[in-house]
Amino acid sequence: MRKIALGLAALLMAGSAALAQTPLTFADVDTDGNGELSFAELQVVWPDLTQQEFDLADIDGSGGLSIEELNSLQPSTLPSPTGVPAETPAN
């Protein structure tokens, strides 16, 4: 019986780790369901995002980012691959 309990505990821990690595969708992050991501909603999944970066991406000034605004923000804030300057494509 103890072996079964230990096996189930190990299985549950492995399963929760897999769930934690599952990518989130826009709808998962949009907790209030209004179709835009607020700064607070984004900070839950993107803690390094600054208010200034958010405001620059909020092109229409609505206080939230649409999918298009979010997509325009992401490439400019992602670090370039090690050893490859951001302006130069990798060969």
Side-chain angles (χ1 to χ4, degrees):
M1 183 69 158
R2 185 173 181 176
K3 288 181 183 180
I4 292 173
L6 288 174
L8 286 174
L11 182 62
L12 287 174
M13 286 201 276
S16 63
L19 288 175
Q21 295 175 2
T22 302
L24 296 174
T25 66
F26 188 91
D28 292 334
V29 180
D30 184 17
T31 57
D32 63 7
N34 70 348
E36 292 191 328
L37 301 182
S38 68
F39 182 67
E41 289 171 327
L42 269 174
Q43 277 217 299
V44 171
V45 296
W46 196 345
D48 295 337
L49 181 68
T50 66
Q51 183 69 54
Q52 182 180 12
E53 291 168 332
F54 180 87
D55 291 342
L56 287 172
D58 186 15
I59 296 167
D60 62 6
S62 65
L65 299 186
S66 65
I67 292 174
E68 293 79 17
E69 290 170 328
L70 180 64
N71 286 337
S72 72
L73 173 67
Q74 291 176 341
S76 65
T77 59
L78 293 176
S80 63
T82 305
V84 179
E87 300 84 33
T88 306
N91 292 332

